[in-house]
Each structure stands twice: as C-alpha cells, then as structure tokens.
Amino acid sequence: MYDMKALYEAESIEHAVKLRVEHPEAQIIAGGSDVLVQMREGRRAGKELISIYMIDEMRGISLDENEAIRIGSLTSFSHITKNPIIQEHINVLGEAVDMVGGPQIRNIGTIGGNTCNGVTSADSASTLHAWDAIVEITGPNGIRRIPIKEFYIKAGTVDLREGEIQTAIIIPKKAYEGYKGHYIKYGMRNAMEIASTGCSVNCKLSADKKHFEDVRIAYGVAGPVPMRVPSAEEFIKGKEITMENIEGFAKKVLDDIMPRDSWRASKEFRQHIAVVMAKRALIESVKLSGGVI
C-alpha cells in the first residue's frame, strides 16, 4: 500500500537534523495524516521518510521564562484544544484546530505538520498569524526563530532549509496579553472539510472598553499563503467601538486580500464572505473582551 524507499526513525532533535543532512531528499513524517495519504495516492511514491514522531521533547505546551507560550511542533491538535495554558490565554487557537478533520485526525495530526505543509487553508495557520507567532527551526547551524509570516514563502513552500526541522511555535507574551479572539471557518460542510475561507481576529480594548487599542486579522484561502490584513488593522486602531466602525473595518479587508476562483468557491464569493466573517469575528472578539456594541 505504501511505496517507500526507506524509513529512518529519529531518536532526538539532533539525530533528526543529522538524518536530514544525510538524506536531503527524504520527507519528514510526524503523525502521517497527510504524508501517508499522499503516498497511498502515489504522489510521494518511492520516497525516503524520516520519522520524528518518537521525539517527545518536541511535544507539549509550556510557558517559558518570559511567559511566552511554547508549543512543541509534535503537539497534537487534541492536546492543544484541551491544554489549560491554551484555554486561558489563546483559546481561539484551540477552537481553530478543533475544526481540523475528525477526532482521529485531531488525535494524530500535529501543529508542526499543519504549518509545514505550507497550505493556505490550514486552520491553525491564519490563527497563528493573528497571534504574531514565531516559528522555531533547528538545523545544522543551530536554532533560528522567524515570524510566521516569513515562514510561508509561497503556496506549499515554507522556509525550511537543508538539514532543518521545525521544532516549536512560540507566542510572545506581548502578542497575547490583553487580547481575545475568534476564528470562523467557512466550508461546504460542517465537518471533515477543508476551509473555503478562514478568518481569525484578535482584539485588545482600551481600559474603559470603549475603544479598539489594537486589532489583528488574518485569513486563510484569501491568497496563496495565510495572510494578515494591514489596511483593516490600521483603519480600526484607536477607533471607538461602534457598529459603523466595525463595518468599515470589514470592508477594508478587500484592499488586501487576493482570493481566487476554485471549485470550492468563486473569487467573488470569497470576497463577500471575507467581509461578513471579519465583521462577525470582530464582534465576537469584542464581546469576549468585555466590550459592548
């Protein structure tokens, strides 16, 4: 059923990097929810595989010495959703990954696999963009950390260089403290569906809960890679919390997004639903933050 040339099992991050250097054409496999399906379909037939699934140091969620949230790349979607740190500080990420596939996929699928695929429809990707996530990458030259918007290069391609693996995703304290968010996924079905469009919004309100101190909005399937929408973010910053301003914010997303036609949805429909989603997600974020509209 699975046509593979060889399978190497990494015992540690250092061993995984060594195997990557020795076998530069090999495909990394974690949970296998994507790679094994692609192999069965013949798209990765005859490939060498490097399994990183047994590297426990790449699992789990913790707060580091700076109170940044560190999510190991092998952490499953199910563990993210149920984790108390996620629930307390960035619950919207748990809600977003809980929309991935079905229970079996969420139990085996990993946050690292979801982001390293480089696909714009990944439910975690737009949400992590809205949280100003940092991607930690380990390779022969040590560790480097880059903003997630720089990690995505083009459709299906991320910034992983020779010998490197993604080891963690980090949400800095300044990116989550005081913010509340909401994610909306639109698809043709309610479950087991790839997003036709996904929208994630976080907002931070003024102390009196009457003005927008800061708002971040990101989309999946609004362009070739997950993307932020700076025009809308700049429009709403500092403004009073009114329905008029929220509607103006939602319309501004059309200045930046670049959806395309596909069999899932037309460009025009994606533009329409993007505006609706921005409005609804911001309204819900305001309510979660204790604001009144």
Side-chain angles (χ1 to χ4, degrees):
M1 180 180 293
Y2 297 110
D3 178 9
M4 66 183 74
K5 182 179 179 181
L7 173 64
Y8 310 100
E9 188 167 353
E11 298 173 355
S12 65
I13 292 174
E14 293 75 16
H15 188 208
V17 170
K18 182 175 182 290
L19 288 170
R20 284 273 286 146
V21 172
E22 293 173 350
H23 307 277
E25 300 301 317
Q27 168 71 50
I28 289 286
I29 181 171
S33 57
D34 287 318
V35 172
L36 292 179
V37 171
Q38 293 164 358
M39 290 186 71
R40 189 174 60 196
E41 293 172 346
R43 286 187 281 162
R44 297 187 184 275
K47 285 279 189 180
E48 292 180 300
L49 300 180
I50 298 172
S51 173
I52 60 172
Y53 192 71
M54 300 304 290
I55 306 177
D56 284 339
E57 61 188 303
M58 287 175 58
R59 283 189 175 83
I61 299 166
S62 60
L63 290 171
D64 69 14
E65 65 276 8
N66 298 313
E67 296 186 67
I69 299 171
R70 179 184 176 86
I71 307 171
S73 292
L74 286 181
T75 308
S76 72
F77 300 127
S78 295
H79 280 96
I80 290 172
T81 299
K82 298 172 183 176
N83 184 269
I85 294 174
I86 298 295
Q87 291 175 345
E88 179 180 355
H89 298 293
I90 52 172
N91 193 46
V92 62
L93 178 61
E95 293 173 347
V97 300
D98 204 39
M99 298 181 190
V100 176
Q104 298 94 332
I105 292 175
R106 293 193 292 272
N107 286 339
I108 196 72
T110 64
I111 191 76
N114 204 227
T115 50
C116 286
N117 270 339
V119 296
T120 185
S121 59
D123 292 299
S124 69
S126 56
T127 306
L128 290 170
H129 273 69
W131 284 114
D132 279 342
I134 303 296
V135 179
E136 180 186 276
I137 300 162
T138 304
N141 298 317
I143 295 172
R144 63 188 180 98
R145 296 182 176 93
I146 59 173
I148 194 166
K149 65 180 180 180
E150 296 177 14
F151 184 63
Y152 284 79
I153 297 173
K154 61 181 180 179
T157 302
V158 295
D159 186 15
L160 282 177
R161 303 168 189 173
E162 185 175 348
E164 291 185 332
I165 61 171
Q166 185 201 108
T167 45
I169 293 169
I170 299 165
I171 314 293
K173 182 180 180 180
K174 66 179 181 180
Y176 71 78
E177 189 173 40
Y179 288 83
K180 294 293 183 182
H182 187 61
Y183 174 72
I184 300 175
K185 174 179 181 175
Y186 181 85
M188 298 170 68
R189 299 178 299 185
N190 290 329
M192 297 291 287
E193 174 68 325
I194 295 172
S196 296
T197 305
C199 175
S200 193
V201 173
N202 299 328
C203 76
K204 184 177 184 180
L205 305 185
S206 60
D208 62 5
K209 307 294 184 182
K210 293 183 178 180
H211 293 81
F212 291 104
E213 187 172 317
D214 191 31
V215 174
R216 305 192 203 107
I217 177 170
Y219 283 95
V221 207
V225 295
M227 61 187 299
R228 289 276 287 275
V229 188
S231 294
E233 293 178 352
E234 286 300 316
F235 171 84
I236 200 71
K237 194 170 185 178
K239 283 188 167 61
E240 186 180 356
I241 300 172
T242 66
M243 190 57 69
E244 180 182 1
N245 284 333
I246 291 173
E247 289 175 350
F249 161 84
K251 291 175 182 176
K252 288 294 288 184
V253 304
L254 296 176
D255 290 353
D256 295 326
I257 64 173
M258 302 171 289
R260 64 180 180 85
D261 290 312
S262 77
W263 66 270
R264 292 183 182 277
S266 67
K267 174 182 177 179
E268 290 74 18
F269 179 75
R270 283 194 167 108
Q271 289 175 322
H272 167 74
I273 199 68
V275 173
V276 174
M277 294 166 87
K279 177 180 175 180
R280 292 180 180 177
L282 183 54
I283 289 173
E284 186 61 27
S285 296
V286 169
K287 292 178 181 177
L288 291 168
S289 299
V292 178
I293 300 172

